Amino acid sequence: MYDGGKIIAGIIIFLAFATFPFYSNIGKADIKPPKPSLDTPVIKELAVKKCVEPKEYMRANHMQLLIDWRDAALREGKRIYINSRGEEVFISLQNTCMKCHSNKKKFCDECHSYANVDPYCWDCHFAKAKQEEQR
Amino acid sequence: MLEKALQGGKRYWTLIFILLGLAGAGFFTYLYQLKEGLGITGMSRDVSWGFYVSQFTFLVGVAASAVMLVIPYYLHNYKKFSKIVILGEFLAVSAVTMCLLFIFVDMGQPMRIFNVILHPTPNSILFWDAIVLNGYLLLNIIIGWNTLQADLKEVPPPKWVKPLIYLSIPWAVSIHTVTAFIYAGLPGRDFWLTAIMAARFLASAFAGGPALLIILAMIIRKYTKFDPGREPIQAVAKIVTYAMVANFFFILLELFTALYSNIPGHILPFKYLFFGIDGHMKLVPLMWLSIFLAIFAIALLVWPPTRRNETTLLFACIIAFISLWIDKGFGLVIGGFVPNPFERVFEYWPTLPELIITIGVYAVGFLVLTVLYKVAISVREQQLS
Amino acid sequence: MSVNRREFLKYAGLTCIGIGVGGAQLFVTRAKAFSGYTPTNYGLKAKRWAMVIDLRKFEHEEDYKKVIEACHSIHNVPDFGNPKDEIKWIWTEDFEHSFPYQMNHYVPKEVEEKPVLLLCNHCEHAPCTRVCPTKATFKRPDGITAQDYHRCIGCRFCMAACPYGARSFNWRDPRPYIKHINPEFPTRMPGVVEKCNFCVERIETGKKPACVEASEGKMLFGDLADPESEIRRYLDEHFSIRRKPHLGTQPAVFYIIGGE
């Protein structure tokens, strides 16, 4: 093998970089699975505790739903969403979603932080600002 | 072939590391811009495009100019260009790389760049510009690399390269035409609203690019064993001369239409650029410098003895390049925004971070150029021995 | 079994394609629970929204201020306090600079000195939507020139294209510069272009634009395509002008300058 030393050194450096995410997180595995909280005043007062779509669907697809909502409301002028139960929902992240889920930190961020995703919704939209700001 | 870029002398590596350092400085300043927003530049609500877009516009011209070597060699069988066509093609690769980077650093939301492809919009000139620029980059990489590799192996280039070379000729014209259309089709900007814009762009491109090539050829001759040769340089000098004259002529045409028609919207940008409006005259010295350098360069280029003398030719090429850079890399874009749609004057001047990022992008471009030229020159040197 | 290099590469390539196709399928077959989208049934409707600004009725500085304040506070428009970073949806400019092509030296003094309210013209042939490379700004069927901040890449081609200086860019993060936040409406993020949206969010929920409401009759809003509409009647009776009509953009904002 030509330049064996250099090649082996190169492989070691490469491995050191490639495995960085693994060894840098060693010992941090005690992070608990996320438990998004539904404990908000508005949700408590709801007679039927149901989101716009079934829980399982929302858990898996809320991001796509929000994107569809966004395009329907903003680009097509269709501001009403008719859900699978046939109910009409006014499309608005700030004024519909966050009205119930006013606890962004304990609801949205709980999973987002766990999954290490950082959606930029709140760069523009308020997380029910009135209550958040008062705190 | 790329391994030749790893075998260089001390001077080569010094240059590489200087360029890497500048690119790094630009990169870190860009991170700062990414965090703070484009507010760290001199751009404003009124002058919403500045240095980045100007450099992009100018460099599209440099990229397009490769065709001035391709046409004589491949269409007119002008054999003397056989050794230096590659310099033009690799210059184009470097210039287009810079163009794309300048567009990127100018964007407010660069993470969304793929929206241009995700939501293709054929009525937007920028959409077409993205297509032609990337296409031209690809064409020149493929053509340059394959012809050079064939040279190295002392065989004729593969047959399928020929059609690509022919395609690259109209394609080169297209990149600068499309770039001119970005400006020339906007109803509210009288300074840009001129049918001659694309022609003027091409003329200045075919002057500036080849002038830079002559400068580069002379540097190569001085520091390497590869001599591009006197005759090809003289031939390129004639191209620069014609294009310089044509470009100057086009500017005079613009002036005639604006001044003789006496339409305020067409006069005011020229007035701002060359005389200033209400004491706002940041660009005035630069614009006059550009004009004087252009006249001086044309004089040196047109008069045969100074064109044939390589020292004066080099000087003429340098001042021609500076003149064209001021005209297109600064005045053309800013002049379109001043005065603003309310005929008020709000001036622009680049900030320090903006300049560092600009230099950083240029450093990346010259890094690409250095590496590619190193490969090309190594092949040529090998042919000599 | 011996595998030579060529074969290895072949199989490796095929494996990659397989994984790619499988992944793509996962993506496509994602469940869809929805049933439909529809406009509100209480929104205002028109074929071509337009505005008339009767400048004769604007008398005091207060009249302008109220209108601008109404818009900027509702839409969380920041105030940077400097012209470089400035963001504005509706603002005032003197007559000469509002109508640079229509100015002569002999207009009545009260016209010459009267500020003009400027905003996006929601042009029928909008140059900004023509140049946008991502359809982030687009024409709605009702004539409104809308701006999708989610899609805008911040290239600012639209700002170069707009002949009316109606567009502002978020050079910096606007949030710290918003005096009173309206929690019902989003802000913008740095790096996108914004402008007047003709209060589309209000129209679609049955309200007239905020500026029109705050003007108390000095500004009118309605359907230009309906000959019976209030603004059409008003335009029939009063001579109106528009900004830079020679550009063929067909602005939807009409100004009434003088006369009875």
Side-chain angles (χ1 to χ4, degrees):
Chain A
M1 192 156 71
Y2 298 110
D3 288 334
K6 280 182 196 165
I7 290 171
I8 289 167
I11 288 173
I12 289 172
I13 292 171
F14 170 75
L15 283 178
F17 273 106
T19 55
F20 174 76
F22 298 102
Y23 64 75
S24 68
N25 278 313
I26 285 174
K28 293 181 190 166
D30 60 336
I31 295 169
K32 290 176 192 70
K35 276 197 188 126
S37 155
L38 297 173
D39 181 26
T40 72
V42 180
I43 295 180
K44 267 185 193 160
E45 277 163 36
L46 283 179
V48 189
K49 291 190 178 34
K50 270 186 182 166
C51 196
V52 294
E53 292 290 353
K55 190 161 103 186
E56 293 70 30
Y57 177 83
M58 291 309 287
R59 191 179 281 162
N61 299 307
H62 66 279
M63 46 307 236
Q64 190 57 44
L65 185 74
L66 284 173
I67 286 173
D68 293 345
W69 273 27
R70 175 190 84 192
D71 289 346
L74 189 60
R75 301 191 70 89
E76 289 163 45
K78 295 176 177 167
R79 290 187 185 250
I80 300 291
Y81 172 71
I82 305 166
N83 68 14
S84 51
R85 302 191 291 270
E87 300 157 352
E88 293 194 351
V89 181
F90 187 78
I91 292 176
S92 172
L93 173 66
Q94 254 171 257
N95 302 323
T96 302
C97 305
M98 305 310 283
K99 193 178 83 190
C100 289
H101 299 291
S102 54
N103 53 343
K104 173 181 172 272
K105 280 205 182 85
K106 288 196 175 135
F107 185 74
C108 310
D109 295 351
E110 184 77 7
C111 293
H112 291 163
S113 307
Y114 182 77
N116 196 17
V117 291
D118 190 14
Y120 57 67
C121 310
W122 292 281
D123 286 7
C124 299
H125 294 275
F126 289 108
K128 206 60 203 161
K130 265 179 193 158
Q131 288 151 22
E132 283 267 300
E133 269 178 350
Q134 279 163 6
R135 274 172 210 163
Chain B
M1 224 165 33
L2 198 58
E3 76 279 1
K4 296 192 188 307
L6 296 173
Q7 302 151 355
K10 202 174 164 193
R11 228 169 14 213
Y12 171 68
W13 286 111
T14 316
L15 178 62
I16 293 279
F17 279 107
I18 290 174
L19 290 174
L20 273 176
L22 291 174
F27 177 74
F28 283 109
T29 316
Y30 178 68
L31 290 184
Y32 169 62
Q33 176 185 298
L34 212 53
K35 189 169 153 277
E36 292 292 315
L38 281 162
I40 64 154
T41 68
M43 290 184 275
S44 61
R45 193 182 191 279
D46 289 311
V47 186
S48 46
W49 280 340
F51 227 51
Y52 301 149
V53 173
S54 314
Q55 301 316 303
F56 151 75
T57 311
F58 177 72
L59 288 166
V60 172
V62 174
S65 71
V67 80
M68 284 288 103
L69 300 182
V70 171
I71 290 178
Y73 179 56
Y74 288 106
L75 286 190
H76 300 283
N77 207 16
Y78 183 70
K79 292 284 184 216
K80 303 224 166 63
F81 276 1
S82 68
K83 294 272 183 282
I84 62 162
V85 170
I86 190 72
L87 298 184
E89 285 157 351
F90 280 171
L91 178 61
V93 172
S94 148
V96 178
T97 308
M98 288 189 268
C99 291
L100 295 172
L101 280 174
F102 272 120
I103 290 285
F104 190 78
V105 299
D106 187 64
M107 285 172 56
Q109 286 291 335
M111 295 78 78
R112 298 181 187 164
I113 191 160
F114 285 108
N115 278 4
V116 178
I117 300 157
L118 226 54
H119 310 286
T121 316
N123 50 291
S124 172
I125 302 293
L126 265 190
F127 167 75
W128 292 107
D129 216 26
I131 290 178
V132 292
L133 280 176
N134 283 298
Y136 192 65
L137 179 64
L138 210 63
L139 272 178
N140 274 289
I141 292 175
I142 293 172
I143 294 168
W145 201 256
N146 277 292
T147 50
L148 191 65
Q149 204 149 36
D151 278 359
L152 180 67
K153 293 176 186 158
E154 293 174 358
V155 292
K159 280 212 180 77
W160 55 266
V161 177
K162 249 319 173 28
L164 291 184
I165 292 170
Y166 293 139
L167 177 65
S168 80
I169 295 169
W171 204 290
V173 177
S174 83
I175 62 167
H176 222 21
T177 306
V178 172
T179 305
F181 283 176
I182 289 179
Y183 301 99
L186 305 179
R189 309 277 174 189
D190 293 333
F191 185 59
W192 296 336
L193 192 69
T194 156
I196 210 171
M197 186 68 94
R200 195 181 141 195
F201 268 31
L202 286 167
S204 74
F206 296 158
L212 180 61
L213 266 176
I214 291 179
I215 300 168
L216 291 170
M218 295 209 183
I219 294 173
I220 288 169
R221 172 194 283 166
K222 187 160 182 218
Y223 292 104
T224 75
K225 283 184 221 118
F226 169 52
D227 183 359
R230 183 183 158 77
E231 260 187 83
I233 289 180
Q234 282 299 318
V236 179
K238 283 189 196 118
I239 294 170
V240 178
T241 311
Y242 277 112
M244 249 339 248
V245 173
N247 184 46
F248 202 73
F249 176 61
F250 289 160
I251 293 174
L252 292 178
L253 294 184
E254 296 269 30
L255 279 171
F256 171 78
T257 303
L259 298 179
Y260 194 81
S261 70
N262 202 30
I263 298 173
H266 289 267
I267 296 176
L268 283 171
F270 284 107
K271 192 181 166 205
Y272 167 70
L273 289 175
F274 289 102
F275 300 101
I277 296 177
D278 302 333
H280 299 287
M281 45 199 308
K282 276 187 183 158
L283 259 57
V284 173
L286 274 177
M287 293 312 289
W288 282 109
L289 179 67
S290 170
I291 293 288
F292 284 123
L293 289 181
I295 293 170
F296 195 21
I298 288 172
L300 288 175
L301 287 165
V302 169
W303 200 46
T306 42
R307 186 177 66 240
R308 289 193 196 119
N309 180 319
E310 292 205 334
T311 316
T312 42
L313 173 64
L314 179 63
F315 179 70
C317 284
I318 292 172
I319 60 173
F321 189 78
I322 295 172
S323 162
L324 292 167
W325 180 82
I326 296 171
D327 178 42
K328 216 160 121 199
F330 210 157
L332 184 108
V333 172
I334 311 306
F337 287 106
V338 188
N340 69 10
F342 312 100
E343 292 198 349
R344 285 190 184 278
V345 177
F346 194 93
E347 290 197 278
Y348 162 84
W349 198 256
T351 60
L352 185 65
E354 199 173 3
L355 285 177
I356 297 173
I357 292 171
T358 305
I359 292 168
V361 173
Y362 269 105
V364 173
F366 277 99
L367 198 65
V368 171
L369 188 74
T370 309
V371 168
L372 290 177
Y373 270 25
K374 177 77 174 68
V375 173
I377 290 160
S378 302
V379 171
R380 292 283 176 262
E381 284 175 339
Q382 203 165 319
Q383 287 171 324
L384 287 173
S385 58
Chain C
M1 191 179 91
S2 73
V3 180
N4 65 23
R5 189 168 78 160
R6 184 182 288 263
E7 276 174 346
F8 171 76
L9 287 175
K10 208 162 73 185
Y11 289 125
L14 282 174
T15 313
C16 287
I17 292 171
I19 291 171
V21 170
Q25 245 165 3
L26 258 178
F27 220 68
V28 172
T29 53
R30 195 167 44 197
K32 268 197 165 179
F34 94 108
S35 340
Y37 293 90
T38 171
T40 58
N41 53 15
Y42 46 91
L44 306 180
K45 300 236 157 36
K47 281 208 178 80
R48 177 85 181 98
W49 287 117
M51 186 180 278
V52 175
I53 300 178
D54 192 343
L55 285 171
R56 300 169 306 172
K57 294 182 178 167
F58 283 85
E59 283 168 4
H60 313 289
E61 212 182 312
E62 221 24 58
D63 297 340
Y64 296 96
K65 234 177 158 177
K66 258 200 307 208
V67 169
I68 295 170
E69 193 51 37
C71 167
H72 284 189
S73 64
I74 280 186
H75 296 117
N76 289 325
V77 176
D79 180 8
F80 285 93
N82 72 64
K84 184 179 166 298
D85 298 325
E86 188 177 31
I87 290 176
K88 48 193 180 186
W89 285 27
I90 180 167
W91 68 101
T92 57
E93 176 62 271
D94 62 32
F95 184 81
E96 183 189 348
H97 293 99
S98 301
F99 298 92
Y101 295 84
Q102 275 135 294
M103 181 65 182
N104 70 54
H105 296 303
Y106 312 104
V107 295
K109 210 173 159 74
E110 68 262 27
V111 171
E112 197 184 339
E113 286 173 357
K114 180 166 259 179
V116 179
L117 267 179
L118 302 183
L119 67 156
C120 171
N121 276 304
H122 297 273
C123 310
E124 191 177 329
H125 307 293
C128 53
T129 62
R130 190 164 31 199
V131 302
C132 178
T134 62
K135 303 187 190 83
T137 185
F138 58 97
K139 289 302 287 181
R140 288 162 43 102
D142 58 4
I144 294 178
T145 305
Q147 173 87 13
D148 185 344
Y149 309 114
H150 307 89
R151 193 182 283 188
C152 176
I153 59 171
C155 70
R156 311 191 293 293
F157 202 178
C158 54
M159 292 176 80
C162 176
Y164 304 103
R167 294 177 158 269
S168 308
F169 184 71
N170 283 275
W171 299 102
R172 299 173 185 280
D173 184 7
R175 278 210 173 163
Y177 299 92
I178 303 168
K179 266 180 264 164
H180 303 292
I181 281 176
N182 169 20
E184 309 273 302
F185 197 79
T187 62
R188 266 69 60 195
M189 63 202 303
V192 298
V193 174
E194 66 177 88
K195 65 169 193 73
C196 156
N197 65 352
F198 248 18
C199 279
V200 62
E201 84 283 3
R202 289 170 61 90
I203 295 172
E204 290 190 339
T205 51
K207 286 179 261 179
K208 285 201 169 176
C211 56
V212 174
E213 203 176 86
S215 76
E216 292 164 342
K218 300 181 191 70
M219 296 160 82
L220 303 173
F221 189 72
D223 190 353
L224 200 61
D226 174 11
E228 297 305 311
S229 71
E230 187 192 11
I231 60 160
R232 274 292 292 274
R233 289 216 194 109
Y234 209 76
L235 290 173
D236 284 344
E237 285 161 18
H238 303 85
F239 178 72
S240 59
I241 60 171
R242 292 184 290 178
R243 293 170 68 202
K244 302 187 183 177
H246 65 293
L247 299 178
T249 55
Q250 297 295 348
V253 178
F254 297 76
Y255 293 90
I256 293 168
I257 303 291
E260 283 311 302

